[in-house]
Amino acid sequence: MTAPDAGRGIGNGDEAGDLAQPGPPRDTFRILHVSTGNVCRSPITERLTRHALADRLGDPLWGGVIVESAGTWGHEGAPMEANAEAVLADFGADASGFVGRELLDEHVIRADLVLTATRDHRAQVISMGHSAGLRTFTLKEFTRLVRAIDPATLPPLEDGVVARARALVRAAAALRGWLLAPTAEADEVYDPYGAPLPFFRSIGDEIHQALEPVVTALTGVPART
């Protein structure tokens, strides 16, 4: 990976990235994106998250945030769908080096935040145990909760992105029972697998719009205009 958002921490195709920094190990916050096959939605979300973090922070490891993905029926070793790559190119995000993975217990255990494409994926992650309930949300659910959190209540960026991210997850979990979705479908990102490129692009736009407030809250840095 050669783009600014590449090679910056553990993710699919980049298992040694968090060892690149010299000196003692640093604190990290691991985001896991989950969909079904890990060839469409979760790769798009993973790489758009990396791209946005690099844009906001521009630092190797993005202040300690590690972004990866997996699928509940993951196509182990498979490449990303070509239309998913095209969507990432639209946003200037790097698609290279991606390798699909099946969701394993170890992925859930290591994750500080799990963001799923649908409610079914969320239920599957939670059913795996590992105390995942308080740190697993659908992407759109997490976006809705994050929008309701006063940024002033989060640790300042000077305290580090990791501390801010952990506080954000705790605050979102506390709000979950109070801030419900207007409809069940509001928390879903539908599967574009096998669909033409225009539908992939519509899904990419949905994911991008959902990620923007999340990355802003995580980093304390607004998107560039």
Side-chain angles (χ1 to χ4, degrees):
M1 294 183 238
T2 57
D5 57 331
R8 307 299 195 192
I10 291 178
N12 298 0
D14 190 17
E15 292 301 321
D18 62 339
L19 303 179
Q21 288 286 84
R26 57 196 290 180
D27 203 11
T28 58
F29 181 88
R30 190 179 298 264
I31 301 172
L32 175 66
H33 294 295
V34 174
S35 63
T36 303
N38 194 216
V39 292
C40 298
R41 288 169 290 181
S42 51
I44 291 172
T45 316
E46 173 197 311
R47 295 307 175 92
L48 287 182
T49 304
R50 291 186 182 194
H51 184 69
L53 287 167
D55 182 62
R56 309 297 173 87
L57 302 177
D59 202 279
L61 276 177
W62 306 306
V65 181
I66 296 167
V67 187
E68 55 191 349
S69 63
T72 55
W73 291 88
H75 299 178
E76 188 73 29
M80 191 186 309
E81 282 287 295
N83 282 347
E85 292 188 3
V87 167
L88 291 174
D90 290 343
F91 290 100
D94 182 32
S96 66
F98 182 85
V99 179
R101 302 190 307 177
E102 182 175 357
L103 181 67
L104 302 176
D105 290 270
E106 65 190 65
H107 302 145
V108 177
I109 291 168
R110 295 191 304 176
D112 297 288
L113 171 62
V114 184
L115 296 176
T116 69
T118 70
R119 293 166 297 149
D120 282 347
H121 296 135
R122 182 185 64 194
Q124 289 179 64
V125 171
I126 293 172
S127 73
M128 295 171 73
H130 316 302
S131 303
L134 292 178
R135 50 195 167 90
T136 302
F137 309 79
T138 75
L139 171 62
K140 288 186 174 180
E141 173 192 23
F142 194 67
T143 300
R144 183 177 69 254
L145 298 172
V146 162
R147 289 184 184 277
I149 296 168
D150 182 355
T153 65
L154 300 173
L157 190 55
E158 290 75 17
D159 289 355
V161 177
V162 170
R164 186 180 178 92
R166 288 178 176 160
L168 184 69
V169 172
R170 290 193 298 269
L175 280 175
R176 179 152 39 192
W178 300 94
L179 192 62
L180 303 178
T183 65
E185 291 72 24
D187 283 344
E188 305 280 290
V189 176
Y190 291 107
D191 193 356
Y193 185 76
L197 182 56
F199 187 68
F200 264 84
R201 284 184 164 139
S202 70
I203 293 298
D205 287 340
E206 279 187 39
I207 292 170
H208 179 261
Q209 290 172 22
L211 281 173
E212 282 300 300
V214 171
V215 175
T216 296
L218 281 171
T219 63
V221 180
R224 298 180 187 181
T225 56

